[in-house]
Amino acid sequence: MSWLKKSKEGLKTPQRKRELPDGLWTKCEDCGEILYHKELERNLWTCTKCSYHFRISARTYLKILLDEGSFVERFSEVVSTDPLKFRDTKRYSDRLRKAREETSLSEAILMGEGTIEGRPLVIGVMDFSFLGGSLASASGERIARGILLALETRRPLVLLSSSGGARMFEGILSLMQMAKTNALLARLSDAGVPYISIMTHPTTGGVTASFASVGDVILAEPRALIGFAGPRVIKQTINQELPEGFQRSEFLLAKGMVDRIVHRNELRRTLAWLLHFFAAAALLPQKPRRRAGETLARFRAVGGPVASTPPPPPAPEVQLKPFESESTPSVNGAPGVESPEGPARPPAETPGETSGTTPGGSAAFPADREIPIRE
Ligand SMILES: [Zn+2]
């Protein structure tokens, strides 16, 4: 402090307290930079210094990604009950009620329809703040109905994941959502309707092990934790040091599990480009898909390739080379003789035709095309 501002020698100088109004500044959870809240919002809640992606709600994602006012929520009537009457330190029904009050969501995923640059799509966005974005019977059912809606309308499907995995309070009923959603996604794939999966921090457990990993295109936000079991559990289990950056988006991109890492600022533009690409690709003439066994049936129907192709032109006569001794039989002259190397070679001619027809032979297998046996 400047000496001029000191009130009096020996007296305690009153410190002017630096007051930061609540909600005006936010500290980056990664690099510690103090960020102006409005600037953070402008940058879609990513750190301007280190690109750390703050966790945001499902509604905020929808606002960022979709055309303004285009989102129409669907299947909000599907909600979790407490089928197992589960209770640990608290009742599951109490946890559900609290989560609904705190997040103003009825389940861990918002499912609906919307547009991106005018192109319609079916979209589902998970919200981590609702019981860790866990996959339960209701959230799985919403996803399943969203897939069926995409199938029915032939609109591309986008699912954005942010989840700790299956919801343990519903036991096996949660786990079976993995199989259910993936079975329906297989039907979507068979129908040729595109599915884009976006993985955000964190995408773990049963969500990674099911629908999040089977997109036609898989995008991920930078430095998102993506895996089945967490790194701490794996480290304790295998008792080994894990490689640097293990289970982060960049690591998975290098291993081929993710197609592209997209900064949140670029996410809407990337989705718009992909939707445009898929729409243009759908206009191209499509190759009919063949199922197993169909190729063989078609082959039999046309009687094989020989019937439809003309016979090849006769090749020039092969002259025996001088190094061949008398012990080496001429195939043309003595069909079926046993060679020193092994059993008899079958005759080149078809039955009924003799070697006397040389240089004719059969049309398909002219005798003069036979190549002498070599050592
Ligand atoms: Zn930062």
Side-chain angles (χ1 to χ4, degrees):
M1 177 172 276
S2 161
W3 283 24
L4 298 171
K5 286 186 182 174
K6 281 196 170 182
S7 53
K8 204 167 182 182
E9 192 76 25
L11 289 179
K12 198 175 177 183
T13 309
Q15 293 279 338
R16 210 174 155 189
K17 202 176 174 184
R18 193 181 170 199
E19 287 180 358
L20 295 177
D22 280 347
L24 204 57
W25 299 90
T26 305
K27 192 175 177 184
C28 174
E29 291 170 25
D30 196 37
C31 70
E33 178 82 354
I34 304 293
L35 302 159
Y36 186 44
H37 197 274
K38 288 212 165 157
E39 196 181 345
L40 192 61
E41 194 177 339
R42 264 199 301 276
N43 211 30
L44 305 182
W45 290 272
T46 59
C47 176
T48 45
K49 191 180 174 192
C50 73
S51 273
Y52 175 79
H53 282 47
F54 286 77
R55 189 178 290 151
I56 56 175
S57 70
R59 290 193 193 282
T60 313
Y61 267 116
L62 290 169
K63 205 173 159 189
I64 291 171
L65 298 178
L66 298 181
D67 295 341
E68 199 177 345
S70 71
F71 182 69
V72 179
E73 190 179 355
R74 300 285 307 269
F75 318 121
S76 57
E77 71 280 6
V78 183
V79 289
S80 273
T81 55
D82 185 4
L84 304 179
K85 306 287 174 225
F86 190 87
R87 179 179 188 155
D88 50 355
T89 53
K90 288 180 195 168
R91 287 176 197 275
Y92 172 44
S93 53
D94 291 340
R95 288 180 190 274
L96 270 176
R97 194 180 323 112
K98 195 178 171 208
R100 283 173 188 151
E101 284 168 8
E102 284 176 358
T103 60
S104 68
L105 293 168
S106 55
E107 202 18 77
I109 187 164
L110 271 177
M111 200 81 211
E113 296 169 273
T115 58
I116 295 178
E117 293 188 2
R119 292 190 184 278
L121 74 156
V122 176
I123 186 166
V125 181
M126 302 190 89
D127 197 313
F128 195 84
S129 56
F130 191 100
L131 295 176
S134 47
L135 178 69
S137 48
S139 37
E141 180 62 22
R142 284 188 186 186
I143 294 169
R145 293 189 187 190
I147 298 167
L148 288 174
L149 178 66
L151 198 60
E152 193 184 318
T153 56
R154 296 197 63 82
R155 290 177 180 171
L157 173 73
V158 173
L159 291 177
L160 187 143
S161 311
S162 173
S163 175
R167 193 175 301 166
M168 58 181 180
F169 312 123
E170 292 189 21
I172 194 71
L173 297 170
S174 288
L175 294 179
M176 68 177 280
Q177 306 308 317
M178 297 164 63
K180 186 170 83 179
T181 50
N182 267 30
L184 287 171
L185 284 171
R187 282 173 60 183
L188 195 72
S189 175
D190 281 347
V193 178
Y195 161 44
I196 302 164
S197 170
I198 307 169
M199 294 176 167
T200 67
H201 178 75
T203 297
T204 53
V207 171
T208 310
S210 61
F211 60 87
S213 298
V214 296
D216 296 307
V217 178
I218 302 174
L219 307 176
E221 284 192 342
R223 280 182 276 171
L225 178 73
I226 299 164
F228 185 65
R232 198 175 50 204
V233 174
I234 294 174
K235 190 177 172 183
Q236 285 170 357
T237 307
I238 64 173
N239 202 22
Q240 278 182 25
E241 283 299 318
L242 300 171
E244 202 183 330
F246 182 69
Q247 287 189 327
R248 295 286 165 175
S249 309
E250 294 73 12
F251 188 85
L252 296 176
L253 180 75
K255 302 290 177 190
M257 281 187 68
V258 164
D259 295 313
R260 180 175 280 195
I261 295 172
V262 185
H263 194 283
R264 199 177 284 159
N265 283 336
E266 292 292 317
L267 207 48
R268 178 180 150 88
R269 211 168 64 164
T270 305
L271 279 182
W273 186 88
L274 283 169
L275 294 180
H276 176 76
F277 169 79
F278 282 122
L283 295 176
L284 295 173
Q286 302 290 310
K287 262 189 174 178
R289 288 190 170 200
R290 289 184 189 168
R291 299 205 169 269
E294 194 185 339
T295 308
L296 187 63
R298 283 164 62 90
F299 178 80
R300 283 177 180 151
V302 297
V306 177
S308 57
T309 52
E317 192 174 344
V318 178
Q319 297 292 331
L320 294 178
K321 293 185 179 172
F323 65 79
E324 285 170 336
S325 64
E326 283 179 10
S327 63
T328 306
S330 160
V331 175
N332 283 347
V337 295
E338 192 165 337
S339 71
E341 292 81 30
R345 200 169 169 198
E349 294 81 11
T350 50
E353 286 175 331
T354 63
S355 58
T357 58
T358 306
S362 74
F365 301 100
D368 57 359
R369 292 190 66 202
E370 284 294 327
I371 299 169
I373 297 167
R374 290 184 186 170
E375 180 62 40

